[in-house]
Amino acid sequence: MVNWIWLFLIVASFVVAAANGRMEAVTAAAFDGAKTGVTVSFGLISVLVFWLGLMRIAEDAGLLRKLAKLLGPAVRLLFPDVPKDHPAIGYIMSNMSANIFGLGNAATPMGIKAMQELQKLNPDKETATPAMCTLLALNTSSITLVPTTLIAIRMNYGSANAADIVGTTLAATIVATAAAIAADRWYRRRSAGPPQRNAGANRAAQPPDAGSRAG
């Protein structure tokens, strides 16, 4: 669907430009956009390589394993329907760790692997499970300590203080994550339905049968 939307926008821009005799402006804008994309990519590469290198050092030093242990109780609380030792848990914790450090490009493959593992637990392959919805919500709204990608973009465009968004980004992502978790819990309770009444209470509420009354 997204591909069709982009195709429509491109075709519409060329049609409007041709109708108004401004094809040269469209061509110049296309080349300028391509140039800007390459420039921004090079700026991102330098920062991402730096942070990915730090992540690798942290992994070799055991820092990520300790972070995963800290996230373990929260992950088990957020994903109660996933077995404790299932491979999906490891991928989920790796995804969350990468998102916390603002490494969205590194978090994406871990999120995909986690979804693939969760799909193996899915009895209905055409419908997402609650655990898959939870992962999607957390991946989208994850708490971010260091917004690496945004800092790289700001540096690339000559920001005087590229890292001054750290505090506001942290506050915004905390609010977003809290809202995502609250919505996820609400939908889980809603899909689970009303709690069942105690069987003993049900029996006590039932009137005695005819045989009992006769006795």
Side-chain angles (χ1 to χ4, degrees):
M1 183 63 183
V2 175
N3 293 334
W4 287 106
I5 294 175
W6 279 110
L7 179 61
F8 170 76
L9 293 175
I10 293 171
V11 172
S13 63
F14 277 103
V15 171
V16 173
N20 291 278
R22 303 188 61 183
M23 287 298 298
E24 293 182 359
V26 172
T27 303
F31 280 108
D32 288 341
K35 180 181 177 180
T36 302
V38 172
T39 304
V40 172
S41 296
F42 277 113
L44 291 174
I45 287 172
S46 60
V47 177
L48 289 176
V49 167
F50 171 74
W51 280 104
L52 287 174
L54 287 182
M55 287 282 287
R56 183 58 183 270
I57 294 173
E59 182 180 1
D60 292 341
L63 180 60
L64 292 186
R65 287 192 294 272
K66 292 182 179 179
L67 179 60
K69 289 183 180 179
L70 291 175
L71 293 175
V75 170
R76 287 191 292 272
L77 180 64
L78 293 170
F79 298 88
D81 45 349
V82 179
K84 180 179 179 181
D85 298 326
H86 195 273
I89 295 295
Y91 289 120
I92 290 171
M93 288 191 292
S94 298
N95 172 266
M96 293 176 66
S97 300
N99 275 323
I100 287 174
F101 288 103
L103 298 172
N105 291 341
T108 298
M110 294 297 101
I112 293 174
K113 291 293 295 183
M115 282 293 186
Q116 290 174 344
E117 292 296 332
L118 291 175
Q119 180 69 351
K120 296 178 182 179
L121 299 173
N122 189 359
D124 183 3
K125 304 303 181 183
E126 300 298 325
T127 304
T129 63
M132 297 170 78
C133 295
T134 301
L135 176 59
L136 180 61
L138 291 177
N139 183 71
T140 305
S141 63
S142 175
I143 295 175
T144 304
L145 298 178
V146 184
T148 307
T149 304
L150 289 177
I151 291 175
I153 293 174
R154 287 167 61 85
M155 290 176 59
N156 191 67
Y157 282 97
S159 173
N161 189 358
D164 63 358
I165 62 171
V166 171
T168 53
T169 301
L170 178 60
T173 53
I174 288 175
V175 173
T177 301
I181 293 175
D184 177 72
R185 297 296 98 179
W186 184 79
Y187 275 107
R188 278 179 178 264
R189 289 195 298 269
R190 182 182 179 186
S191 61
Q196 297 294 327
R197 296 176 60 188
N198 182 272
N202 288 340
R203 288 194 299 268
Q206 294 175 355
D209 57 18
S212 300
R213 288 195 298 269

